[in-house]
Amino acid sequence: MRKKLFSGKTIPVLFDVVVWGGFAAFLFATYIACQTLIDRFPGSFNKLIGMLQDFVA
């Protein structure tokens, strides 16, 4: 069987796909987790957001 050689651009492109795909999956999981926390603890979350806004301001 012949060995197939990868072009010089294949590995960086695959690396970018894996890294950005992982980052997108992380953002999606974070969004789902935040939505779950907001649904379970709406009062606590509003208090936390208020504290964060006071700190930033």
Side-chain angles (χ1 to χ4, degrees):
M1 289 182 63
R2 290 175 111 183
K3 287 187 177 180
K4 208 173 195 182
L5 296 175
F6 291 112
S7 70
K9 293 183 179 181
T10 303
I11 301 299
V13 169
L14 288 175
F15 179 78
D16 286 344
V17 167
V18 169
V19 169
W20 288 111
F23 183 64
F26 170 75
L27 289 179
F28 182 69
T30 303
Y31 172 76
I32 296 296
C34 285
Q35 290 299 318
T36 303
L37 286 174
I38 290 171
D39 290 343
R40 286 191 184 183
F41 310 107
S44 301
F45 188 77
N46 289 335
K47 185 177 179 182
L48 183 64
I49 292 296
M51 289 172 51
L52 181 64
Q53 287 176 343
D54 290 343
F55 178 74
V56 172

